[in-house]
Amino acid sequence: MRPFEYARAADTEQAVAVATADPDTSYLAGGTTQLDLMKDGVLGPGRLLDITRLPLGGVTHLDDAVRIGALTTMEELAADPVVGRRLPFVREALLLGASTQLRNMATIGGNLLQRARCRYFRDPTVPACNKRDPGSGCAAIDGIQRMHAILGTSDHCIALHASDLAVPLAALDALVHIQGVGGRRTVPLTEFYLPPGSTPHIENVLRHGELITEVEVPLLPEGARSRYLKVRDRVSYEFALTSAGVALAVDGGVVRWARIALGGVGTIPWRAWKSEDLLRNAPADRGAFRAAAEAALEGARPLPGTAFKVDLAGRTLVRALEMAAGAAS
């Protein structure tokens, strides 16, 4: 691990000013992924700025949304009664996303910013990784591809977005509140992440020194039901092969409203806009759900090691929709 300086931020404005002025400074919150990457030599900031004592924790309940402080832990959010009652698939994603020990350390802001789980990105002895070393190539394309993406990929990167939580939050049109030296701005989560294109090392719209302060999540309408379904190689803590976060409002056997996002298949949390349109005023049955799954996976670019994900992701989405529709009937 590269030697680094440790500092603690006194307030949010100071933290943003210090980090913005120094390209070699990184924020430190839960550190559950960041410290591992530093130990492995993938990341090497010259200074860690500890923000854990900033007043950015807790859940604020509004009439139609919750505002989640970026330093709220995954466990705290999962235990929130409003989240459990009005956003059950968010709670399911949190509980399926990490062990209890990690949930008590990992923050919501950090979860949304976790780095790719690509084995080639995380191994600095592998020279070809455009995400770690722009222009060096992508070892995964000709390597072991099982845990990689089929949607949103490019010839420069097929790394998978790993967050379970980001999937239902993308489906819900969550908003990310950001503090920078020039003031505050708000970005929809569906616009926060950037597909790799030719610049896989640029993963989101944050500028250096900007800090996520809150995530605002709209509550589901009364009567809507949701499910987060995660398929993985083992039942214990493991990353998704495929996952689906869905919410439905069903009336008289007809889907009146749907929100759908996929995980385990995209370079970003994958919002299935076309599937939502197809389901609006469609019967809540397997035929409609299969059509929605086909639409969600249009444009998939599987490689030999990820070809199985096309069928598996479709089945995952159909099953999640059936589970949500069954709960709503």
Side-chain angles (χ1 to χ4, degrees):
M1 180 188 291
R2 174 190 175 190
F4 62 89
E5 174 189 345
Y6 171 86
R8 178 174 289 156
D11 56 58
T12 304
E13 289 73 19
Q14 181 207 43
V16 170
V18 169
T20 302
D22 180 10
D24 209 20
T25 292
S26 294
Y27 294 120
L28 174 66
T32 54
T33 296
Q34 181 182 26
L35 295 178
D36 285 342
L37 292 176
M38 290 174 64
K39 292 174 184 177
D40 291 340
V42 178
L43 300 180
R47 173 166 52 185
L48 287 182
L49 185 58
D50 188 337
I51 59 171
T52 56
R53 296 192 180 183
L54 299 183
L56 299 178
V59 181
T60 302
H61 302 131
L62 308 176
D63 290 340
D64 58 355
V66 291
R67 294 176 70 105
I68 306 161
L71 294 179
T72 306
T73 68
M74 294 174 65
E75 187 67 13
E76 289 169 339
L77 184 59
D80 184 86
V82 173
V83 171
R85 182 170 59 87
R86 296 290 302 276
L87 297 170
F89 71 151
V90 171
R91 184 174 187 273
E92 290 169 350
L94 288 163
L95 296 179
L96 292 171
S99 65
T100 305
Q101 295 91 332
L102 285 174
R103 293 200 305 267
N104 276 299
M105 287 293 296
T107 64
I108 298 307
N111 182 281
L112 297 182
L113 292 174
Q114 63 181 292
R115 302 302 302 275
R117 295 290 168 177
C118 174
R119 65 174 63 191
Y120 302 104
F121 166 71
R122 290 173 173 257
D123 185 355
T125 67
V126 175
C129 176
N130 289 317
K131 191 176 286 292
R132 178 167 28 85
D133 184 14
S136 62
C138 177
I141 289 178
D142 294 315
I144 299 174
Q145 303 149 357
R146 179 175 173 80
M147 297 302 295
H148 288 80
I150 60 174
L151 292 167
T153 61
S154 74
D155 293 337
H156 302 274
C157 185
I158 60 171
L160 187 69
H161 193 275
S163 173
D164 287 283
L165 175 62
V167 175
L169 295 191
L172 288 166
D173 295 315
L175 301 174
V176 182
H177 297 284
I178 300 166
Q179 176 74 51
V181 290
R184 300 181 181 181
R185 63 185 180 120
T186 299
V187 179
L189 189 66
T190 51
E191 299 175 14
F192 180 78
Y193 297 108
L194 300 175
S198 61
T199 56
H201 59 292
I202 304 175
E203 298 177 345
N204 54 62
V205 301
L206 281 180
R207 308 179 189 109
H208 180 76
E210 286 190 318
L211 182 63
I212 296 177
T213 57
E214 286 184 315
V215 180
E216 185 173 342
V217 185
L219 296 174
L220 290 173
E222 291 288 354
R225 296 292 185 269
S226 66
R227 291 303 298 260
Y228 181 71
L229 181 60
K230 180 177 182 178
V231 178
R232 44 192 171 171
D233 282 323
R234 58 185 184 185
V235 175
S236 59
Y237 172 51
E238 182 60 281
F239 296 103
L241 289 171
T242 61
S243 69
V246 306
L248 295 175
V250 178
D251 180 22
V254 175
V255 178
R256 303 303 182 187
W257 176 93
R259 294 290 183 271
I260 301 171
L262 302 178
V265 291
T267 56
I268 60 176
W270 200 260
R271 180 72 177 270
W273 305 98
K274 186 174 180 180
S275 301
E276 295 174 3
D277 291 339
L278 284 174
L279 285 177
R280 191 174 299 115
N281 296 322
D285 60 24
R286 175 163 287 200
F289 297 159
R290 283 177 172 170
E294 290 177 5
L297 292 158
E298 285 182 2
R301 297 177 59 193
L303 294 170
T306 55
F308 75 98
K309 285 195 172 189
V310 178
D311 182 63
L312 183 60
R315 291 173 179 267
T316 302
L317 178 53
V318 169
R319 180 59 179 151
L321 289 166
E322 288 178 332
M323 294 167 71
S329 61

